[in-house]
Structure formats: structure tokens, C-alpha cells
């Protein structure tokens, strides 16, 4: 699975125009294939939803003007450990773990988290389309 870059041009805060469409759908198709090709059926929609909900919660906290980014960023990075735990229990695939890891490692500021939250939302919508029965 290829790494998805959150920014087309980080310095100028330009997002790839296809990040929330083509790239999110391609990722969803890859993860839906993981589900279809593994008899243990990783990447159940309810499991993916737990991670999505946590990212949304952290993104909302980061948008709060009274929030302290220095306290939020470690919680964002802890998502890698939570995802690794789910992988250890065979609840998610390697591709989902890699998606979370590579995306979170790109998060340095609240704007990065906002882009990731939007990417995750787009991916989640496409995933429901491509893997509707899990």
C-alpha cells in the first residue's frame, strides 16, 4: 500500500485536490479487499468506526480555542499504539495499521489533524460502499 501524503504542498497549506476523492476511495478499495480476502474478516466497519470516532474527538479538541496542542498531540500519537493493539488481536489488517501509522506520523499541527480527519471521513464513506457487509 502506498503512503498517502496529507499535503500536496505543506508549506503553503495546499491539499491534494484528489485526497478526499480518488485517494480516499483507492484506500477504501484496498482495505475492503483485505476484508474480503481474509477468512478472519479484519477491518469490520464497527472497528474502523471506533478509530474514526477517536480521530474526530481529538480533532474537535484541537479546534477548541482553550485547548493545549502539546497535550493533544501525544494522544494523537497514541492512536498508533491503539491500532497496533487491534492488529495484534486480528481486528484490523496490516494495510489499516499502515494507513494510521503513516498518516499520524505526518501530524505536527492542528491543521494536519484536520486534514487527516477529513481524509478519514472520506475513506470511511467509500469503505462503507466497497465493503458494505462486514
Amino acid at each position: 500500500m502506498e503512503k498517502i501524503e496529507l499535503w500536496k504542498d505543506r508549506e503553503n497549506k495546499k491539499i491534494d485536490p484528489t485526497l478526499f476523492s480518488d485517494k480516499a476511495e483507492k484506500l477504501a478499495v484496498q482495505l475492503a479487499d483485505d476484508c474480503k480476502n481474509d477468512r478472519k474478516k479484519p477491518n469490520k466497519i464497527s472497528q474502523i468506526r471506533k478509530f474514526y470516532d477517536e480521530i474526530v474527538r481529538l480533532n474537535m479538541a484541537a479546534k477548541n480555542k482553550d485547548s493545549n496542542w502539546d497535550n493533544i498531540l501525544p494522544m494523537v500519537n497514541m492512536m498508533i499504539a491503539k491500532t497496533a493493539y487491534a492488529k495484534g488481536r486480528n481486528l484490523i489488517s496490516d494495510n489499516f495499521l499502515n494507513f494510521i501509522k503513516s498518516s499520524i506520523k505526518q501530524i505536527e499541527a492542528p491543521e494536519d489533524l484536520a486534514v487527516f480527519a477529513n481524509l478519514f471521513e472520506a475513506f470511511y464513506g467509500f469503505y462503507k460502499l466497497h465493503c458494505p457487509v462486514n
Side-chain angles (χ1 to χ4, degrees), residues 60-83:
M60 295 303 289
K63 288 181 178 181
N64 184 334
K65 65 181 178 181
D66 297 327
S67 69
N68 181 345
W69 178 246
D70 291 334
N71 291 333
I72 295 170
L73 186 55
M75 302 308 293
V76 170
N77 282 293
M78 192 165 91
M79 291 298 296
I80 295 172
K82 290 180 177 185
T83 310

Short mmCIF file of all heavy atoms in Angstrom, two decimals, residues 60-83:
data_model
loop_
_atom_site.label_atom_id
_atom_site.label_comp_id
_atom_site.label_asym_id
_atom_site.label_seq_id
_atom_site.Cartn_x
_atom_site.Cartn_y
_atom_site.Cartn_z
N MET A 60 -11.80 17.72 17.24
CA MET A 60 -12.67 18.71 17.89
C MET A 60 -11.95 19.36 19.08
O MET A 60 -12.05 20.56 19.29
CB MET A 60 -13.99 18.07 18.33
CG MET A 60 -14.85 17.58 17.19
SD MET A 60 -15.27 18.87 15.99
CE MET A 60 -16.40 19.82 16.94
N ALA A 61 -11.24 18.56 19.84
CA ALA A 61 -10.49 19.10 20.97
C ALA A 61 -9.42 20.08 20.49
O ALA A 61 -9.21 21.13 21.10
CB ALA A 61 -9.84 17.97 21.76
N ALA A 62 -8.77 19.76 19.38
CA ALA A 62 -7.73 20.64 18.84
C ALA A 62 -8.30 21.96 18.32
O ALA A 62 -7.62 22.99 18.34
CB ALA A 62 -6.97 19.93 17.72
N LYS A 63 -9.54 21.94 17.88
CA LYS A 63 -10.19 23.17 17.38
C LYS A 63 -10.66 24.08 18.49
O LYS A 63 -10.91 25.25 18.26
CB LYS A 63 -11.37 22.80 16.48
CG LYS A 63 -10.96 22.23 15.15
CD LYS A 63 -12.17 21.91 14.31
CE LYS A 63 -11.75 21.38 12.95
NZ LYS A 63 -12.90 21.09 12.11
N ASN A 64 -10.78 23.55 19.68
CA ASN A 64 -11.22 24.34 20.83
C ASN A 64 -10.14 25.38 21.14
O ASN A 64 -8.97 25.05 21.33
CB ASN A 64 -11.45 23.42 22.04
CG ASN A 64 -11.98 24.15 23.24
OD1 ASN A 64 -11.77 25.35 23.41
ND2 ASN A 64 -12.66 23.41 24.08
N LYS A 65 -10.54 26.64 21.20
CA LYS A 65 -9.55 27.71 21.40
C LYS A 65 -8.85 27.63 22.76
O LYS A 65 -7.77 28.16 22.93
CB LYS A 65 -10.21 29.08 21.22
CG LYS A 65 -11.27 29.41 22.25
CD LYS A 65 -11.89 30.75 21.99
CE LYS A 65 -12.98 30.97 23.03
NZ LYS A 65 -13.64 32.22 22.87
N ASP A 66 -9.46 26.94 23.70
CA ASP A 66 -8.84 26.78 25.02
C ASP A 66 -7.97 25.53 25.11
O ASP A 66 -7.41 25.24 26.17
CB ASP A 66 -9.93 26.71 26.11
CG ASP A 66 -10.73 27.99 26.19
OD1 ASP A 66 -10.16 29.07 25.94
OD2 ASP A 66 -11.94 27.91 26.49
N SER A 67 -7.85 24.79 24.03
CA SER A 67 -7.10 23.53 24.07
C SER A 67 -5.60 23.78 24.05
O SER A 67 -5.12 24.82 23.62
CB SER A 67 -7.50 22.63 22.91
OG SER A 67 -7.03 23.19 21.69
N ASN A 68 -4.87 22.79 24.51
CA ASN A 68 -3.42 22.84 24.53
C ASN A 68 -2.91 21.76 23.58
O ASN A 68 -2.96 20.58 23.90
CB ASN A 68 -2.91 22.61 25.96
CG ASN A 68 -1.42 22.69 26.07
OD1 ASN A 68 -0.69 22.65 25.08
ND2 ASN A 68 -0.93 22.80 27.29
N TRP A 69 -2.42 22.18 22.41
CA TRP A 69 -1.97 21.25 21.39
C TRP A 69 -0.89 20.31 21.93
O TRP A 69 -0.82 19.15 21.55
CB TRP A 69 -1.48 22.00 20.15
CG TRP A 69 -0.96 21.09 19.09
CD1 TRP A 69 0.33 21.00 18.64
CD2 TRP A 69 -1.70 20.11 18.34
NE1 TRP A 69 0.43 20.03 17.67
CE2 TRP A 69 -0.80 19.47 17.46
CE3 TRP A 69 -3.04 19.71 18.33
CZ2 TRP A 69 -1.19 18.46 16.59
CZ3 TRP A 69 -3.42 18.70 17.46
CH2 TRP A 69 -2.50 18.09 16.61
N ASP A 70 -0.06 20.82 22.82
CA ASP A 70 1.01 19.99 23.39
C ASP A 70 0.45 18.81 24.19
O ASP A 70 1.14 17.81 24.36
CB ASP A 70 1.93 20.83 24.29
CG ASP A 70 2.76 21.82 23.48
OD1 ASP A 70 3.02 21.55 22.29
OD2 ASP A 70 3.16 22.86 24.04
N ASN A 71 -0.76 18.90 24.65
CA ASN A 71 -1.41 17.79 25.35
C ASN A 71 -2.22 16.90 24.41
O ASN A 71 -2.46 15.73 24.72
CB ASN A 71 -2.31 18.30 26.48
CG ASN A 71 -1.51 18.90 27.61
OD1 ASN A 71 -0.36 18.54 27.84
ND2 ASN A 71 -2.12 19.85 28.32
N ILE A 72 -2.65 17.45 23.30
CA ILE A 72 -3.44 16.68 22.33
C ILE A 72 -2.56 15.82 21.44
O ILE A 72 -2.88 14.66 21.17
CB ILE A 72 -4.33 17.63 21.49
CG1 ILE A 72 -5.36 18.31 22.41
CG2 ILE A 72 -5.02 16.88 20.35
CD1 ILE A 72 -6.14 19.42 21.74
N LEU A 73 -1.41 16.36 21.01
CA LEU A 73 -0.55 15.63 20.09
C LEU A 73 -0.11 14.26 20.63
O LEU A 73 -0.14 13.28 19.87
CB LEU A 73 0.66 16.48 19.69
CG LEU A 73 1.57 15.89 18.62
CD1 LEU A 73 0.80 15.53 17.35
CD2 LEU A 73 2.71 16.85 18.30
N PRO A 74 0.25 14.12 21.89
CA PRO A 74 0.58 12.78 22.38
C PRO A 74 -0.60 11.80 22.29
O PRO A 74 -0.40 10.61 22.02
CB PRO A 74 0.97 13.01 23.84
CG PRO A 74 1.38 14.43 23.90
CD PRO A 74 0.53 15.15 22.90
N MET A 75 -1.81 12.29 22.47
CA MET A 75 -2.99 11.44 22.36
C MET A 75 -3.21 11.02 20.90
O MET A 75 -3.64 9.90 20.63
CB MET A 75 -4.23 12.14 22.92
CG MET A 75 -4.08 12.56 24.38
SD MET A 75 -3.54 11.24 25.46
CE MET A 75 -4.94 10.16 25.40
N VAL A 76 -2.91 11.93 19.98
CA VAL A 76 -2.99 11.60 18.56
C VAL A 76 -1.99 10.49 18.26
O VAL A 76 -2.34 9.49 17.62
CB VAL A 76 -2.72 12.85 17.68
CG1 VAL A 76 -2.57 12.46 16.21
CG2 VAL A 76 -3.82 13.89 17.86
N ASN A 77 -0.76 10.64 18.75
CA ASN A 77 0.26 9.63 18.50
C ASN A 77 -0.07 8.30 19.18
O ASN A 77 0.34 7.24 18.70
CB ASN A 77 1.63 10.14 18.95
CG ASN A 77 2.21 11.09 17.93
OD1 ASN A 77 2.54 10.69 16.83
ND2 ASN A 77 2.30 12.35 18.29
N MET A 78 -0.82 8.33 20.27
CA MET A 78 -1.21 7.10 20.93
C MET A 78 -2.15 6.26 20.06
O MET A 78 -2.28 5.05 20.26
CB MET A 78 -1.88 7.38 22.28
CG MET A 78 -2.03 6.13 23.12
SD MET A 78 -2.40 6.48 24.83
CE MET A 78 -4.17 6.48 24.77
N MET A 79 -2.76 6.87 19.06
CA MET A 79 -3.61 6.12 18.14
C MET A 79 -2.82 5.02 17.43
O MET A 79 -3.38 3.99 17.07
CB MET A 79 -4.26 7.06 17.12
CG MET A 79 -5.29 8.00 17.70
SD MET A 79 -6.69 7.13 18.42
CE MET A 79 -7.37 6.33 16.98
N ILE A 80 -1.54 5.24 17.24
CA ILE A 80 -0.71 4.20 16.62
C ILE A 80 -0.68 2.97 17.51
O ILE A 80 -0.84 1.84 17.05
CB ILE A 80 0.71 4.72 16.32
CG1 ILE A 80 0.65 5.84 15.28
CG2 ILE A 80 1.61 3.58 15.85
CD1 ILE A 80 1.97 6.56 15.07
N ALA A 81 -0.50 3.18 18.81
CA ALA A 81 -0.47 2.06 19.76
C ALA A 81 -1.82 1.36 19.82
O ALA A 81 -1.90 0.12 19.86
CB ALA A 81 -0.07 2.54 21.15
N LYS A 82 -2.90 2.12 19.81
CA LYS A 82 -4.23 1.52 19.84
C LYS A 82 -4.49 0.69 18.59
O LYS A 82 -5.11 -0.37 18.65
CB LYS A 82 -5.30 2.61 20.00
CG LYS A 82 -5.31 3.26 21.36
CD LYS A 82 -6.39 4.33 21.45
CE LYS A 82 -6.45 4.93 22.85
NZ LYS A 82 -7.56 5.86 22.98
N THR A 83 -4.00 1.19 17.47
CA THR A 83 -4.17 0.46 16.21
C THR A 83 -3.32 -0.81 16.22
O THR A 83 -3.77 -1.86 15.76
CB THR A 83 -3.81 1.36 15.02
OG1 THR A 83 -4.49 2.60 15.14
CG2 THR A 83 -4.22 0.72 13.71
#
